[in-house]
Amino acid sequence: MLNYLWSGMMLVGILWGALHGQMAEVTQGALTAAGEAVSLCITMLGVMALWTGILEIGSRAGLVDQLTRGLRPFLRFMFPRLKTGGAAAKNIAVNIIANVLGLGWAAAPAGLRAMKELKKVQEERDAEKCRASREMCTFLILNISSLQLIPMNMIAYRSQYGSVNPEAIVGPAIAATIISTAMAVVFCKGMEMRRGE
């Protein structure tokens, strides 16, 4: 769906430029944007490699396991039917930890592994494999709300584009993500109560 949306917007822009005799500007804009995109990707690749590496070092040092144990009460509260020591719970915890530390791209692999494990749990519980489980939906909502204490990606973007104070986003980001995560928790628990679970 997004492919159609982006393709449609690009086509409308090109047609608008052609109809108004501004194809030179459209071409120049496309080339400039492509160059900026490559530069941004190289910068963000470095940021992603750094934080993914730090997360891996923390995992091998046992820090991630300690943080995961600290998250068990929260995981029990949000996922009462899920085994807290299982692979799904561990990957959910790693994803939450990475998101809280602002390592969104480092959180993605753990999030994908968590969804695979949640799918296995759902298949064990129910023969109807095409439906998303309550745990999958809860995890997705928590992942989207994504509480962040240090929004590393936004700081890197702001640095790349020459912000004088790129870390000024930290306070507003903490406030916004606390509110979004609180609303996610309230929504998930409200849906559980509504269904009588």
Side-chain angles (χ1 to χ4, degrees):
M1 182 66 188
L2 282 177
N3 289 339
Y4 295 122
L5 181 64
W6 284 109
S7 299
M9 287 192 301
M10 288 182 358
L11 185 60
V12 167
I14 291 168
L15 290 173
W16 184 268
L19 290 173
H20 290 88
Q22 296 179 336
M23 280 308 290
E25 288 85 353
V26 169
T27 304
Q28 185 59 41
L31 293 174
T32 302
E36 287 180 10
V38 170
S39 174
L40 181 62
C41 285
I42 290 170
T43 299
M44 296 315 289
L45 179 64
V47 171
M48 184 178 97
L50 171 70
W51 289 110
T52 303
I54 289 173
L55 190 62
E56 181 64 26
I57 290 167
S59 180
R60 290 184 184 187
L63 181 62
V64 172
D65 288 334
Q66 289 176 359
L67 291 171
T68 300
R69 281 193 292 276
L71 276 177
R72 280 188 183 157
F74 177 73
L75 293 177
R76 263 188 243 113
F77 175 69
M78 292 305 298
F79 304 95
R81 300 187 311 165
L82 199 62
K83 294 177 186 173
T84 53
K90 182 175 181 182
N91 283 308
I92 289 170
V94 170
N95 177 271
I96 290 171
I97 291 164
N99 275 326
V100 166
L101 296 175
L103 314 177
W105 288 337
L112 293 172
R113 286 191 302 269
M115 275 298 191
K116 285 181 183 176
E117 292 297 327
L118 289 171
K119 182 180 177 186
K120 288 178 189 174
V121 170
Q122 175 66 4
E123 288 172 355
E124 289 171 7
R125 281 189 203 147
D126 191 357
E128 194 176 337
K129 298 173 188 169
C130 63
R131 293 180 47 169
S133 67
R134 184 179 83 196
E135 288 84 7
M136 288 177 172
C137 295
T138 299
F139 174 63
L140 185 61
I141 291 167
L142 285 176
N143 194 32
I144 291 168
S145 71
S146 177
L147 173 65
Q148 289 188 5
L149 297 180
I150 309 165
M152 291 307 301
N153 291 344
M154 289 309 298
I155 292 170
Y157 286 133
R158 288 169 56 88
S159 295
Q160 175 70 18
Y161 287 108
S163 173
V164 176
N165 190 6
E167 61 279 348
I169 193 78
V170 172
I174 290 172
T177 58
I178 284 173
I179 292 168
S180 67
T181 302
M183 293 308 299
V185 170
V186 168
F187 175 79
C188 291
K189 288 300 170 182
M191 291 304 291
E192 279 181 31
M193 289 170 54
R194 184 177 173 188
R195 293 178 181 161
E197 295 175 352

